[in-house]
Amino acid sequence: MLQILLLLSGLEPHSALPTALPMMFNKYCQALPKALQDIKVLATSTVFYLPATRHPWYWLGIRSIDRDTFHSLLAAQNSVVLVPGGVSECMLMRKGQEVMYLTKRTGFVRIALNHGAHLLPCFAFGQSDTYSWLRPGPPFIPNMVVETVRKWLGFVPLIMWGRWGTTIPHKVPMLVVFGKPIQLPKMEHPSKEEIQNCQWRGQAARAIGTQAWDGAERVSPYICHNGAGGQPCRLRTPKK
């Protein structure tokens, strides 16, 4: 069924670094369903400024996200995957918890409506453990200062390290799961109300709330698979 659908897959969470993007969504990954092996991966331009990620991610086919690229890929009937929560989730991360910030993320829903793409929920369990991190903040640095620096740089100034203090990710289990595709109508100029309605459906497919249902079938990969790869994770969905 996925082979005949135009998909816009939303991977959550972002974590310190969304390592599931290069590890899972590439043509060399045998764990990726065949219907998704040609999916195009879009990521924040920040990763192409970092020496540790710039060349490997580009070689794997990941490209910098911008509106024109987004539209052109979907217009050519290419399915796309991205992290809709973006780097803003890094400001909300807490140790031992996952965070999804989708309340104000309407842009990817609008573009999905423009092209009549199906939303495909995706969740990466264990991704947040692939890198250790430290984030500047209170009590030494006010959050307002950190947020200002984030907007200026385009990313959160994190200190990150993997195995042996290097850029190699920690050797931890990671489980990437998919929910049921959510069908959206094609609308060239959707209203704010129409976007919010579709956004609610997209959030419901990712969240832990009791509304994550589509008829009699659950579509939330988080609800259906939490704990399947080991220790269950705690999820936060901030509203602001």
Side-chain angles (χ1 to χ4, degrees):
M1 179 179 178
L2 291 179
Q3 292 177 329
I4 62 175
L5 297 180
L6 178 62
L7 299 170
L8 198 171
S9 182
L11 171 71
E12 287 290 335
H14 184 281
S15 307
L17 189 68
T19 49
L21 282 180
M23 291 181 178
M24 185 73 179
F25 294 95
N26 68 80
K27 62 182 179 181
Y28 307 105
C29 180
Q30 297 182 355
L32 188 67
K34 291 184 178 180
L36 298 176
Q37 287 184 350
D38 291 328
I39 196 167
K40 307 302 180 183
V41 185
L42 297 178
T44 175
S45 59
T46 303
V47 299
F48 298 103
Y49 300 149
L50 306 176
T53 57
R54 178 172 62 241
H55 295 302
W57 285 40
Y58 191 86
W59 289 336
L60 289 171
I62 301 174
R63 296 296 181 262
S64 178
I65 187 170
D66 61 71
R67 187 175 297 274
D68 291 339
T69 301
F70 209 157
H71 278 292
S72 64
L73 286 173
L74 291 174
Q77 297 299 297
N78 291 300
S79 293
V80 174
V81 60
L82 74 160
V83 182
V87 295
S88 294
E89 291 183 353
C90 294
M91 290 294 296
L92 303 168
M93 292 190 304
R94 294 179 185 174
K95 303 289 185 179
Q97 295 183 2
E98 303 287 6
V99 61
M100 294 192 303
Y101 181 64
L102 299 174
T103 304
K104 297 182 179 180
R105 291 294 186 258
T106 60
F108 77 104
V109 179
R110 180 187 295 275
I111 293 176
L113 286 168
N114 290 158
H115 298 274
H118 290 63
L119 293 179
L120 180 65
C122 180
F123 198 95
F125 293 96
Q127 176 180 258
S128 294
D129 297 325
T130 55
Y131 281 96
S132 302
W133 55 272
L134 287 175
R135 182 183 61 226
F140 304 106
I141 304 176
N143 275 331
M144 183 175 65
V145 174
V146 180
E147 180 64 21
T148 301
V149 173
R150 181 192 73 82
K151 291 180 179 180
W152 181 62
L153 294 175
F155 61 92
V156 178
L158 292 174
I159 301 174
M160 296 168 43
W161 66 95
R163 299 177 70 183
W164 312 301
T166 69
T167 57
I168 301 174
H170 293 302
K171 190 176 181 179
V172 296
M174 183 167 63
L175 175 65
V176 179
V177 297
F178 298 92
K180 178 183 176 182
I182 302 170
Q183 184 175 2
L184 298 183
K186 186 173 183 179
M187 301 180 183
E188 291 188 8
H189 303 289
S191 66
K192 182 176 180 181
E193 291 73 21
E194 289 168 330
I195 293 173
Q196 289 295 336
N197 180 50
C198 292
Q199 186 191 23
W200 177 87
R201 295 181 64 191
Q203 290 179 22
R206 298 178 178 86
I208 191 174
T210 57
Q211 299 298 317
W213 295 78
D214 182 6
E217 184 176 356
R218 283 186 292 189
V219 295
S220 168
Y222 178 85
I223 293 178
C224 296
H225 299 278
N226 189 19
Q231 186 70 21
C233 71
R234 297 174 59 192
L235 178 66
R236 293 170 48 242
T237 55
K239 302 301 181 184
K240 296 181 180 181

